[in-house]
């Protein structure tokens, strides 16, 4: 049953990710991947605190949301590919800025989500 829950969550997360990349325009800087990963970090922070008691009673829903939906919505491989493309195009400063910004904002937003979820759990 875990597999089915993960597949369902992954389908929705991957679909939403694709739609978001269509809506959020990318110029030289990969804004869509950055924004998607920051939103995912915030959601993961909330899920790891606010819904923790609910998830204990419903582990399949936890897997569907965290591993499936958020896992498919966010992606480390896109961040890595975006960085390689920036480097190949000679944008060394932008590639560095992108990596640092992605890591810092990911950390900040997972912490904010965690804190927000802790207040309501």
């Amino acid at each position: 049953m875990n597999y089915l829950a993960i597949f369902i969550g992954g389908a929705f997360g991957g679909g939403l990710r694709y739609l978001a990349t269509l809506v959020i325009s990318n110029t030289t800087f990969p804004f869509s991947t950055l924004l998607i990963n920051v939103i995912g970090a915030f959601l993961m922070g909330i899920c790891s605190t606010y819904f923790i008691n609910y998830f204990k009673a419903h582990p399949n829903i936890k897997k569907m949301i965290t591993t499936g939906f958020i896992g498919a919505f966010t992606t480390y491989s896109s961040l890595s590919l975006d960085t390689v493309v920036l480097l190949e195009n000679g944008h060394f400063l932008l590639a560095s800025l992108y990596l640092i910004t992605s890591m810092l904002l990911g950390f900040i937003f997972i912490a904010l989500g965690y804190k927000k979820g802790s207040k309501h759990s």
Side-chain angles (χ1 to χ4, degrees):
M1 187 63 175
N2 272 343
Y3 293 110
L4 182 60
I6 293 167
F7 287 139
I8 291 168
F12 283 105
L16 185 60
R17 176 178 179 26
Y18 177 71
L19 289 174
T21 59
L22 294 177
V23 173
I24 303 166
S25 64
N26 282 330
T27 53
T28 302
F29 194 82
F31 288 107
S32 61
T33 304
L34 177 63
L35 185 59
I36 288 165
N37 286 338
V38 167
I39 290 168
F42 184 72
L43 291 174
M44 188 65 81
I46 289 175
C47 287
S48 65
T49 54
Y50 185 69
F51 297 111
I52 197 72
N53 289 327
Y54 180 78
F55 286 156
K56 286 179 186 174
H58 305 283
N60 287 335
I61 293 176
K62 176 187 183 222
K63 290 287 187 188
M64 181 174 60
I65 293 171
T66 57
T67 305
F69 179 78
I70 296 173
F73 182 64
T74 63
T75 177
Y76 183 76
S77 58
S78 289
L79 180 139
S80 300
L81 178 61
D82 290 341
T83 303
V84 167
V85 169
L86 287 170
L87 290 170
E88 279 187 344
N89 291 319
H91 300 291
F92 302 106
L93 185 59
L94 271 181
S96 300
L97 178 66
Y98 177 56
L99 282 176
I100 292 167
T101 302
S102 294
M103 300 310 286
L104 286 175
L105 287 178
F107 174 78
I108 289 167
F109 275 83
I110 204 162
L112 288 172
Y114 191 89
K115 188 172 182 176
K116 177 137 180 89
S118 295
K119 287 182 181 179
H120 298 288
S121 60

